[in-house]
Amino acid sequence: MFRKNPHHAVTLELKHNIFCLIFAMLWLLLIPVSVSAHNVTVFAWVDGDTIHTQSKFSGGKRVKNAPIVVYDVKDVLLLEGKTDENGMFSFKIPKKTALKIVLKASMGHLAVWKLQAEELGEAESKTAAQPTGMKTSLVTDSDSAGIQKNVDVSESTKMSLGRREIEEIINASLDKKLRPITEMLADAMNHEPGFTEIMGGIGYILGIVGIALYFANRKRNR
Amino acid sequence: MHISEGVLSPAVLIGGAAFAAAGVAVGMKNLEQKDIPTVGILSAAFFVASLIHVPAGPVSAHLILNGLVGLILGWKAFPAILIGLSLQALLFQFGGMTTLGVNTLNMALPAVICHHMFKNSLKTGMGKHAVTVCAFATGFFSVLLSGIMVGLSLYLTGEAFLPAAKLVVAAHLPVMFIEGILTTTCILFLKKVRPEILEGDHVS
């Protein structure tokens, strides 16, 4: 039932080449069916005094019940947790330094997200630094306005308090407004290989085949 | 199936890279000029297969196609898979450059083992039934063995072997069946259309 080898070298080679092309094209046709695959990503953002993390496989599937470990800059373990059914895990800011959030998905998958200290610093100033900030503003105000009357000092304190409050309100509403954008960013982080990458890879392989054939040919002709 | 960077211990990484280098060396030694296009095409197929996502199963998994590559290429599967994996790491961020050796070993060694177990099915004169069974077994077992090897790599780094391996194998169960069917289809097609490709190193 299987065809015998055609013992004609030239036609064989030609047919071989044609077959190669067809085979490659078949594969190209298969690609658009489902361009998704699997590495994992973890994305973290700060919201008030908590950090939210979202973990995904690159198919968009959430990583469920996977351990998340948080380290500081010196790789000291700060806390551990597990993602929920939606691949989310949230925790209070454990330390006001740059954080390294590591997702340990099963089967040797691992993803890291680094949070800069500045991102945390802003959130921190809102909660912890508030009373001290008020005090310093009061002190500096009274220092600089040392000659001023008491009424003025109390007025400027009121002013700075108001500024504090406004800042807080702005921060809160910014967090709220920015949430969809951070979530969009989280989705965009999930970078999937596109047509360019695929064609690039196939191009590389064709190039390598060409180079290999060139050298093999040179060896044979010598 | 790709192990990410930063998961394995340096010893496992270096050991894997050494074994993979040995495999690639054997493959390159067997490589003749007429094999080069076949190796390239199968490398491209392997490269692209990882994008084809298999939705079934508890975790996201994709096609691997190492069985088909191994069955046709034998030891030459090592260079083919190494090239495919390097490009996957560079362009798709699957796995990574440091885990390249281990990943190559995990995917290529089962392919070579299956090649030696089932290559007789490719010889001319075998019945269609035998070819079908052997090709399916190649597709199935190469993924199974790869899963076990991934489990072993994790175990050598300090994870418990059985849960790790079980999870990988369970996640890839649908992939095994699909690969078995795909390998069979490809081999039967090749046998009909281009039988010389399958004869591999037995034909001058």
Side-chain angles (χ1 to χ4, degrees), chain B residues 19-144:
Chain B
F19 278 112
V24 171
V26 175
M28 292 304 278
K29 219 180 140 198
N30 289 342
L31 190 68
E32 286 169 43
Q33 191 188 8
K34 66 177 176 56
D35 302 325
I36 293 172
T38 322
V39 174
I41 288 159
L42 284 165
S43 182
F46 175 85
F47 167 72
V48 169
S50 69
L51 292 175
I52 296 169
H53 175 71
V54 179
V59 225
S60 142
H62 59 77
L63 292 187
I64 300 164
L65 229 57
N66 56 346
L68 182 67
V69 175
L71 195 57
I72 296 173
L73 295 180
W75 281 98
K76 294 181 284 272
F78 264 97
I81 286 176
L82 176 68
I83 291 171
L85 279 175
S86 323
L87 289 169
Q88 283 170 0
L90 283 173
L91 297 168
F92 302 161
Q93 281 83 47
F94 293 176
M97 285 329 253
T98 53
T99 54
L100 206 53
V102 179
N103 281 336
T104 306
L105 185 71
N106 285 349
M107 293 187 211
L109 191 65
V112 174
I113 292 170
C114 286
H115 171 83
H116 286 290
M117 278 166 75
F118 301 113
K119 69 177 170 187
N120 289 336
S121 71
L122 300 181
K123 295 224 174 93
T124 40
M126 292 291 284
K128 193 179 175 183
H129 188 70
V131 173
T132 310
V133 170
C134 287
F136 185 86
T138 306
F140 189 91
F141 283 114
S142 54
V143 176
L144 179 68

Side-chain angles (χ1 to χ4, degrees), chain B residues 143-197:
Chain B
V143 176
L144 179 68
L145 285 174
S146 285
I148 292 171
M149 286 192 65
V150 169
L152 197 67
S153 317
L154 295 173
Y155 164 72
L156 289 173
T157 306
E159 266 186 60
F161 173 67
L162 264 181
K166 255 187 204 163
L167 197 69
V168 181
V169 170
H172 286 83
L173 212 59
V175 179
M176 285 174 209
F177 282 100
I178 291 169
E179 295 241 342
I181 294 163
L182 254 177
T183 310
T184 315
T185 321
C186 286
I187 294 295
L188 286 176
F189 176 73
L190 284 176
K191 217 146 163 75
K192 229 180 236 172
V193 186
R194 309 293 315 145
E196 345 40 89
I197 285 188

Side-chain angles (χ1 to χ4, degrees), chain A residues 138-219:
Chain A
L138 210 154
V139 169
T140 47
D141 280 340
S142 57
D143 272 359
S144 61
I147 327 152
Q148 282 183 339
K149 291 170 195 166
N150 282 344
V151 194
D152 280 3
V153 174
S154 65
E155 241 170 47
S156 72
T157 319
K158 262 183 206 159
M159 279 282 288
S160 79
L161 214 156
R163 208 179 297 143
R164 265 293 147 213
E165 274 171 355
I166 291 166
E167 214 168 84
E168 210 171 289
I169 292 162
I170 289 173
N171 272 345
S173 72
L174 262 182
D175 275 347
K176 211 186 279 170
K177 292 255 178 190
L178 283 177
R179 184 166 301 147
I181 292 168
T182 33
E183 264 158 30
M184 256 168 69
L185 249 178
D187 284 339
M189 286 311 295
N190 196 351
H191 147 94
E192 277 184 19
F195 192 66
T196 326
E197 278 91 358
I198 297 163
M199 291 318 287
I202 291 170
Y204 269 110
I205 291 170
L206 286 181
I208 292 166
V209 167
I211 292 166
L213 278 174
Y214 170 76
F215 280 107
N217 227 350
R218 219 171 57 158
K219 212 195 280 172

